[in-house]
Amino acid sequence: MEKNEKELVIPENCLPVEYLIMGFTMYDILAIGICVVIGSVVALSVYHRTHNSMIAVAVIFAVAIVAITLWRRDRFTENIFNKI
């Protein structure tokens, strides 16, 4: 069997990623917070139109879940926006 001697490539000039919570940097948490605030405004407007608090709470949870899914970083420090 032949041994493939490939040189190990180490990326240079990359900024270190500091996670506040595993998978989320400060920027990611700020973006999720902004999405939740916008979702809360939308939920309040939905509540004022329908007078149904269950729909308003569902809107807030849906926005939060989508935001967390979009901004969570994987083991390669990429989120959905970076992959697209």
Side-chain angles (χ1 to χ4, degrees), residues 28-75:
D28 300 332
I29 292 173
L30 180 65
I32 291 169
I34 290 171
C35 287
V36 169
V37 168
I38 292 171
S40 299
V41 170
V42 170
L44 282 173
S45 66
V46 166
Y47 176 74
H48 284 294
R49 280 184 180 247
T50 63
H51 298 291
N52 190 345
S53 61
M54 291 299 290
I55 295 174
V57 171
V59 167
I60 292 174
F61 279 131
V63 169
I65 290 169
V66 168
I68 289 170
T69 302
L70 291 177
W71 269 284
R72 187 180 188 292
R73 296 182 181 271
D74 60 2
R75 62 184 173 155

